[in-house]
């Protein structure tokens, strides 16, 4: 049976599309057949993360179904970007989007045999995204959250948890992306103005899986290595099911108190060192 994962964050630019592409390739390296689906109506960039131009939606003349683009043997892609040659992204109407989501997860796409379906999602909790989760229903294996470990991103991370609780979703785990930066001399450093939040401690506190950290780097080989580990974890970890009444007390406490206890001083210290030396 196909395992369906939604790659999500209620924040733009955290690395959802990059993660979908890299996780897809990592699962493929492990021998799994993978379908990739980009449903980000505002910024569908998954094809770019895969190094492709916008692939056209290939429609069968008889049933008007979509045949996915073959990225490589065993790795397939369908993206909403395929529609944008016909109309500007901003002119989607909500009912139209809901209808498209329904078609995408039911009978519009003729996927070849796939072991994993990875869905790249927009950073919003709008009606069509809520409906996407409704349509997926029990066929959804779980959500993979991708966040930068900054205090600014953490506010949206808590909102993502709220969304998951409200929709009673299952969480596979959290990836800390752009978690640190590797300088050309090999030194690791903190690349943000905002303070660092320890997402590993956060995950331990709220009892969800921490899947690992990915650095901010242009080194694809290094990224591949990290995703090999993450792909293995995704296959084997026990997901967390969010159910009303079973919401972890720790999450409520963190929501009440904020994340102050998990803010590391690394970022600030690094910035200080820099300003002292200049
Ligand atoms: N680990 C990383 N290292 C280097 N660049 C990254 C990394 N993760 C994301 N990026 C870059 O950050 C930008 C935003 O990433 P993207 O995957 O498009 O985010 P999202 O889909 O969440 O909006 C892109 O330019 C992408 O190439
Ligand atoms: Mg994206």
């Amino acid at each position: 049976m196909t395992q369906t994962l939604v790659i999500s964050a209620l924040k733009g630019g955290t690395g959802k599309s990059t993660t979908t592409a890299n996780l897809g390739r990592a699962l493929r390296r492990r021998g799994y057949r993978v379908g990739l689906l980009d449903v980000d109506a505002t910024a569908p960039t998954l094809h770019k993360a895969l190094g492709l131009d916008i692939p056209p939606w290939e429609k069968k003349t008889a049933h008007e179904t979509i045949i996915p683009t073959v990225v490589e043997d065993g790795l397939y892609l369908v993206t909403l970007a395929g529609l944008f040659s016909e109309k500007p992204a901003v002119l989607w109407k909500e009912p139209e989007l809901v209808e498209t989501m329904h078609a995408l997860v039911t009978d519009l796409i003729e996927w070849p045999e796939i072991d994993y379906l990875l869905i790249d999602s927009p950073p919003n909790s709008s009606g069509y995204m809520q409906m996407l989760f409704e349509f997926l229903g029990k066929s959804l294996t779980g959500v993979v959250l991708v966040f930068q470990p900054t205090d600014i991103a953490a506010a949206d991370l808590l909102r993502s948890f709220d969304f998951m609780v409200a929709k009673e979703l299952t969480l596979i785990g959290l990836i800390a992306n752009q978690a640190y930066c590797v300088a050309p001399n090999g030194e690791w450093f903190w690349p943000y103005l905002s303070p660092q939040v320890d997402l590993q401690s956060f995950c331990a506190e709220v009892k969800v899986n921490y899947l690992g950290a990915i650095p901010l780097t242009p080194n694809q080989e290094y990224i591949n290595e990290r995703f090999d580990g993450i792909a293995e974890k995704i296959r084997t970890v026990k997901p967390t099911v969010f159910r009303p009444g079973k919401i972890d007390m720790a999450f409520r406490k963190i929501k009440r108190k904020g994340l102050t206890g998990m803010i590391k001083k690394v970022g600030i210290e690094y910035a200080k060192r820099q300003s002292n030396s200049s």
Side-chain angles (χ1 to χ4, degrees):
M1 222 187 75
T2 305
Q3 305 277 310
T4 301
L5 310 177
V6 175
I7 317 303
S8 175
L10 294 185
K11 181 180 193 317
T14 62
K16 293 175 288 301
S17 302
T18 310
T19 295
T20 308
N22 283 308
L23 183 59
R25 288 198 191 278
L27 287 164
R28 185 66 203 119
R29 282 196 293 279
R30 311 187 86 70
Y32 298 102
R33 294 156 302 179
V34 182
L36 305 171
L37 174 61
D38 189 350
V39 301
D40 186 345
T42 323
T45 57
L46 180 56
H47 59 284
K48 286 196 180 163
L50 290 160
L52 301 177
D53 288 334
I54 293 179
W57 278 29
E58 298 175 38
K59 289 185 180 177
K60 264 192 165 177
T61 41
H63 326 72
E64 287 286 290
T65 49
I66 296 167
I67 300 172
T69 299
V70 179
V71 180
E72 61 180 57
D73 179 46
L75 187 67
Y76 311 99
L77 169 71
V78 173
T79 165
L80 281 186
L83 280 187
F84 292 167
S85 53
E86 293 166 29
K87 65 176 166 184
V90 286
L91 297 186
W92 279 100
K93 291 190 175 68
E94 186 74 14
E96 227 180 336
L97 272 175
V98 171
E99 204 179 298
T100 306
M101 289 309 118
H102 186 256
L104 285 174
V105 299
T106 50
D107 54 4
L108 186 64
I109 309 175
E110 283 192 24
W111 292 109
E113 283 281 297
I114 48 174
D115 304 298
Y116 282 91
L117 174 61
L118 307 184
I119 304 181
D120 183 14
S121 66
N124 69 51
S125 50
S126 66
Y128 91 92
M129 276 313 292
Q130 295 189 39
M131 288 313 293
L132 174 71
F133 283 108
E134 303 273 332
F135 296 145
L136 284 170
K138 291 213 180 318
S139 70
L140 175 70
T141 310
V143 172
V144 174
L145 289 176
V146 181
F147 272 92
Q148 296 117 330
T150 69
D151 68 337
I152 289 180
D156 293 326
L157 172 62
L158 295 182
R159 285 197 314 117
S160 289
F161 267 70
D162 280 337
F163 181 79
M164 300 218 23
V165 169
K167 301 304 288 179
E168 296 183 33
L169 297 176
T170 296
L171 178 66
I172 306 287
L174 172 70
I175 297 173
N177 186 39
Q178 308 173 16
Y180 53 91
C181 202
V182 187
N185 67 2
E187 206 178 291
W188 293 15
F189 67 95
W190 176 246
Y192 296 101
L193 289 170
S194 48
Q196 186 182 31
V197 169
D198 184 351
L199 290 185
Q200 192 165 8
S201 301
F202 169 79
C203 286
E205 195 85 18
V206 297
K207 299 187 182 67
V208 301
N209 299 309
Y210 177 72
L211 299 172
I214 309 287
L216 186 67
T217 173
N219 184 338
Q220 185 65 52
E221 264 175 48
Y222 193 81
I223 296 244
N224 289 352
E225 251 174 57
R226 308 298 299 203
F227 270 99
D228 280 337
I230 286 180
E232 195 50 35
K233 273 198 187 158
I234 281 177
R235 272 184 3 86
T236 50
V237 291
K238 187 168 174 281
T240 312
V241 184
F242 288 85
R243 293 270 177 273
K246 222 194 115 190
I247 305 163
D248 202 298
M249 291 306 289
F251 176 51
R252 293 192 206 175
K253 202 169 101 193
I254 286 182
K255 274 190 70 185
R256 248 194 343 263
K257 286 187 3 189
L259 282 159
T260 40
M262 281 159 211
I263 291 184
K264 285 184 172 180
K265 295 286 180 277
V266 206
I268 299 162
E269 276 163 20
Y270 175 76
K272 264 190 205 152
R273 263 208 316 276
Q274 285 304 95
S275 59
N276 287 344
S277 61
S278 61

